[in-house]
Each structure stands twice: as structure tokens, then as C-alpha cells.
Amino acid sequence: MMLSRSRLRRPVSPGRVFSVAGIGILVAVLGAPQALASAPGDAVQCGDTVTASIQLDSDLNCTGAALTIAASGVTVDLGGHTVVGTTSGISAQNQTDVTIVNGTVGGGISLIGVKPSAFTNLRVDSLTLKLGTRVVATDSVIQNGNINLQGDLSLVRSSMIGVHTRAMSSGITMTDSTVTDSGFSTNGVGFTLTRNTLTRTVIGEDESGNQVAIDNKFIQSHLDVLLVNSLDIENNQFTGPGSGLAVDDSIFRASTVKGNVFDGARVGIAINTANFGRIDNIAITHNVFFNNSAAGILLEAPKGDGAHGVAISDNVFASNGKASNGFVDRHGVPVDDGVHVDIPAGNQVTIGNNVTLDNADHGIEATPGTVIDGGGNISVGDPNGCVGVVCK
């Protein structure tokens, strides 16, 4: 016997529970297990507690909490509709395999101790992920809200627009996604960014793990790292004002910045730290620095020695420093070069095999005795050639 939709859509009271047991009893009585198991749009109401997979057939505009998921293995299919709650849109705690798909959630999604979980084709205004929650968001949009992250968030072919993320002791992975007019303030977080486009976005990482960014476009966007384990920044494009890579303190393990283009920033890469001795084992190699207003690379620190394994090699620096607007280093020396170095002596910083072309002042300017000349540097069209290393 086929069960008609009219028989499924009987009135229910707000706050009632969708339960697996209740559905099983009804199936036994009516004898239509397949139709009842799918139960799309089964009179979902504001304040419902969901313990079985459901599909909405209308919008919900709720005072208080809209929907609470209280079972594992549940899929909430919004059916293209919108769920809004004044205190929360959809929430779940201490469940597994929770999936939310196909619609819009206003009032935010709050998941506590939920792992794993998934969003697909979803639009949401804010996220709270706590106690080890793991979310994979695919083909989804997070817009004009906040993310409070104490778990793991992965974005795949998704978008973030106008979102501020505060993350602690968690991991963020983005793949083939877009991030616009957003900001990340992170602590203890490992980042992996692959093939994304970030526009007018700042990623600030403090006391963080391993940071990986490969094949991304940073448009007027930058990475700002402080006390990180390691960096792997490869084959990215940093373009426009506000873009670039800034290292504000220690790098503890071998790091690579390779094959990137830094175009139109103020400074492409700035390592500006209170103690340069805490910068170890970073190779900046095979990058192109073009048309950055002050410098391609700036190394600056008032004190510190003992840094080792810092290498700037096989890069191209062209047309940098032509709009520095009075930018000077800590000694009052103009910063308007391909490479500008103002650090104490006693650090193992090697500069070799770079090509500098038509920069505003020097191709390479380093305080004599503060860097190691790796040889093979070439200066063409730089008015004052190189200082601190020999350029052909």
C-alpha cells in the first residue's frame, strides 16, 4: 500500500520530537516503510527536536531556537527553504554524522562536539563549532557573520563573504573556495589553503602550527604570522595594495617561500621582528617581486643574533620602491629597494643568485657585515646597484 502525502502531514505541536522509534511504529501500522522513511516535509515546526532525517517543504521563521538535532546519523534537508531562529537556527551537541544541506540558515549553526559533520549547498550567516567539532562544507556560503571555531573547518568549493573567524586550537582547510572581505584571527591553528581566491582578506596567525598555502590568489589580501612552527608558501599570487606575507616573530622549523609572485603590495615579504635570532631555516627562493611600492623583501629587527639557515636566492626583483612615500627603516634609511635589510650582525642570512631590475634605489641594500654574500647576484638598471653584497 502506498502512503499518501496527506496522511503523512498531520498537525503536530511545537517542540515535539521526530524519533526513529515513532516512525518505526507508524510504519508498522500503515505498512508503507519506503514512503514513510523518506518523509519529506513531515510538518517540521519551530522548536522541533530532530532525531531522524527530515526534509522541509516550507520556510521556518522562529522565535528562539528553530531546530535542535538530538541524534546521530541525521540529515536535515532544507529543500531549498530558509530556517531562521532568533537565538539559533540549527544546533546539535555530542552527535556524529550530522548533515545539513540545500537551503539557508539564519541565526547561525551551533555544533558542539559533533564529528564528523557536513554542509552541502548551504548558506549560513554564522557558525559556532566547539569541542572538537569537525565540519566539511561543500558548495556552501557563509556570509555576513562570525565563526567561533574550536574544532576543524574544511571548505570545498565554498565561499566566505564578510565573515570574521576567531579560531583556537583547531584546523582550517580551504580548497577551491573564495573568501571576500573577511578576516581570520587564529591561535594554535594549522592552515592549509589550496587553489583559493582571497580578496580583501587578512589571515592573522598567532602561536600556530604548520601553515600551508599553495596555488592561491591573494588579491589585496595578506598572511600575517607570529610564532609559527613552519611555513610552506608556494606558487601563490599576491596582488594589489595590502597583499603580501608578514612574519612578526619566530619561525621554528624549516620553511619555504617558493615560486610566488608578489605584485603591487607595499612590501612583498616583510620579516619584522623584535629579535631576529628567532628566525631560523627559511628559504625564500624562485619568487618574483614586481612593482611593490616600498620593497620586494624587507628584513628588519632592532636586535638579535644567531639566526641560521635564512636564504634569499634565485629571485627576481623588478620595479620595486617607486612609491615608498617616505617609508624608512629604524635608522631612518629610505626603504625603496628590491631587497632592504636592516638587522644586527651575527645572523646567517645568505643572499645569492638574485636578479634585480630597475628598482627605485638599490637592487639589494643591506647594512654591510650583516649578511652573507652568496654570489651570483645581478643588478640591471638599479640607480645605486647593491650594498652589502656584490652585484654584477
Side-chain angles (χ1 to χ4, degrees), residues 27 127 142 174 223 243 293 357:
V27 169
L127 287 175
I142 306 170
M174 299 182 193
L223 295 173
S243 63
S293 62
L357 307 167

Side-chain angles (χ1 to χ4, degrees), residues 15-46:
R16 60 63 206 268
V17 175
F18 284 91
S19 70
V20 176
I23 288 178
I25 293 170
L26 186 58
V27 169
V29 172
L30 296 179
Q34 294 303 316
L36 186 57
S38 61
D42 189 18
V44 181
Q45 298 180 7
C46 290

Side-chain angles (χ1 to χ4, degrees), residues 113-146:
V114 177
K115 50 188 178 182
S117 52
F119 305 154
T120 303
N121 193 27
L122 189 71
R123 184 179 292 270
V124 59
D125 59 356
S126 64
L127 287 175
T128 298
L129 309 177
K130 294 184 177 181
L131 296 180
T133 292
R134 296 197 303 269
V135 170
V136 177
T138 304
D139 298 319
S140 296
V141 178
I142 306 170
Q143 186 170 7
N144 299 330
N146 298 298

Side-chain angles (χ1 to χ4, degrees), residues 17 223 254 263 301 330 340 361:
V17 175
L223 295 173
D263 178 3
R330 63 193 177 93
H340 189 98
D361 189 5

Side-chain angles (χ1 to χ4, degrees), residues 48-51 65 67-74 76 88-100 109-117 119 128-135:
D48 279 349
T49 297
V50 180
T51 60
L67 297 175
T68 301
I69 299 171
S72 297
V74 165
V76 175
S88 70
I90 298 176
S91 63
Q93 185 169 352
N94 299 326
Q95 307 299 335
T96 59
D97 295 314
V98 170
T99 303
I100 306 170
I109 295 176
S110 176
L111 303 179
I112 300 175
V114 177
K115 50 188 178 182
S117 52
F119 305 154
T128 298
L129 309 177
K130 294 184 177 181
L131 296 180
T133 292
R134 296 197 303 269
V135 170

